[in-house]
Amino acid sequence: MSFLPNNATVGQRLRAVVTSPNSGVVSVIVLVCIFASIKSSVFISVNNGFNIASQMVFILLLALGMTIVLISGGIDLSVGSVMGLCAGVVAKLMIDGVPMVVAMLLAVAAGAGLGMVNGLIITKLGLPDFVATLAMFGVARGLLYLWTAGTPFLDYMTDTYFIVGGLRRPFGYLTVPIIVALLATLIVAVTLRFTPFGRHLYGVGSNSHGAMLSGVSVPRVRLLAYVCSGLLAGVAGVLLAGQTTAVAPDLGTGYEVYAIAAAIIGGAALSGGRGRAIGAVIGTLTLAVTANAMNIAGVDPTWQQVVTGLILLLSVILDRASTLLRSRVVQIPIQPVAATTAATAR
Amino acid sequence: MDMNESPEAEPEPGASRRSFLRGAGLVAGGLVGSSALLSACTPGKNKSADAVPASAASGAGAAGGALTGFSAYDDLVRTKTAGRTIKLGFTPTFLAEFFTQIEGAMFQRMYELETAYGVKWAYKRQTPAQNSFNSTQALIQIIQNLASQKYDALVVDSGGDFATMENAYRDALKSGTKCFQINMVPEMHFDKEDRFVFQSSVGYDNKFQAGFVVGDYIGQTLKGNGTVMQIWGPPGSEFADARQAGFDAALAKYPGLKVVAKGNGQYQRNTGFTVTQDLLTRYPNVNAIYGENDDMALGAAQAVDARGLKHWDGQKGVVIVGADGLLSGMKAIRDGKLTASVDVNTVDIGRYVIDDVFHSVVLGDAVPKLHWVPTRLVTKENVDIPEAYMKWSLKPAKKY
């Protein structure tokens, strides 16, 4: 850790590693990797590394948005549906002859717009985050069903879109979705760490009353958090439509659960005020590596669901343990986990 | 394979209504199940596919399915049905291409029977709210509501548990509503056959008309030797279990074929893609991939592309087989994205279930509890006929 003195002992350094945020989760990833590489040597290969990276993209983009919302003390259950609907927007517009770039921008704008609707319902009408985004979860999905009339959008792919969707790789192993996800992570990390909006997010999430008293516009910060989440879901939708080459009405179903799981594994708290961009990456990596390892190791699909659930539990328990340890070592108080200011109660 | 040889005719684009309906007559008349229906309905009557309308003045302008063109018979049926309005409900689990095709085929058949015998249809489709947390419960509520509105017949498709649905059908029957289920898996419940409550279950045998067919095709294509990867539906799906049983039965004939991996593709394209990507890392030399539905098979095909592997070209490459019988799947076969797919025959599912409703509700006949439609393994060589048949179902002569 950066606050260690230069003359720190080995023991101090070791302790710093064990108590650093996400150390528990990282140890789970390492364990899974060891297990998988014993079962099959191909697990540790450049090719598989990029498989995992390309599989992480969509959940990572949603998890970044989810992390922002969670930090602000909210939760966004609509991201999977919004991602699916935005994929539908870009596909349908391209079928109707709208140029690709315009269609993509409109789809991302649609995502941001739906996020803004979420935010407005929450801040202006005062509905709980859970309820408002649950409604959007249903509305966005239902709209896609109505719009497609159950039949997938097809025949919108162009040569460029194959590259955008990552199905063609002009830059070696790196695909456009991976590059976009890297950029998004960087932007979110910088925003959270170095901008007033980032600081306000943490303030609003951990103590909204205090933030308000110090002059932060709490509704505006929360609204912006949902816009970010919707926008990232829009970006994910644009990329996903390029990867699936067809937009089925159920596209993106269940992704909100993965996004929440990834954010939580990465250390974001449902009670708000906590979470980092790198945490979203680590959380998503945990999910992707676990699924990839189990597929390669040949774990029965029936067991995969159980194992994924247990890994989630283990990651969070280890995270709590390292937080506890840190509080003893560095003497900082533990963040309240089940604080009474839970998002849903506001 | 004899599955491929179901003789069918398609209406030519722009054909007159009569030739169009005659085409329909050929379609239905050529199918085994429909022939059985014909004989059940019209014992000993002349049923030439070329029969002309017996009485154009009375509106009988068709020569399809249960229609004979023999006025003595047709008039008797018309007397029995004329003026009768059948209240018919259709409750698919969700809106999907699959059900759109089935509904279109139902409309075609309803129109044929209406034109021939004057039977009227009061039709309503109702689907549970999307992604409701428990769509089976929502579906059962719909069945209850329609039964309380005294619907004559309901065509039900559900992902619900067999016993749960049987209870719903029993309650509906108490209100006088007969339930006909489609596209479900009664073959996994033969032990309960004497207690089946549904009037008929129209669909196909997932074991021997789907799973087995694919296993046999892969065995023949690879000449009995090679490795196979399965991209499968989620654990607990009866479809997945039944198809697995049939697939295993076929594979028993080919000891040289070995299943090396099985992944859960959750019936979704993107998951099918990622799971196949993972499995190809370990088994890059796999010879065949069986995706349990078209979406997963197409995801698998993309993973094969992404890894730079070649699709089956008749000699070498990866054989990729799906199943569904969707127009989008036929296009994928035509475009060379899928090697083959099992067409589970949405069109006949729609037509047969309307026949069953007509026979059971209007004529009071006993209909078969298990009503299988022909399925076929579609490849580039024989894609034309099933594709045209599906296109026909999507352009119903009348929408209800």
Side-chain angles (χ1 to χ4, degrees), chain A residues 272-289:
Chain A
R274 215 177 130 204
R276 298 185 306 165
I278 189 70
V281 177
I282 291 172
T284 312
L285 185 69
T286 311
L287 293 177
V289 165

Side-chain angles (χ1 to χ4, degrees), chain B residues 126-154:
Chain B
Q126 211 171 343
T127 317
Q130 299 315 322
N131 283 295
S132 61
F133 291 110
N134 192 339
S135 67
T136 303
Q137 282 311 315
L139 190 73
I140 289 171
Q141 280 169 14
I142 292 175
I143 294 173
Q144 287 169 345
N145 289 342
L146 294 177
S148 66
Q149 293 168 42
K150 299 290 171 199
Y151 268 70
D152 295 300
L154 299 181

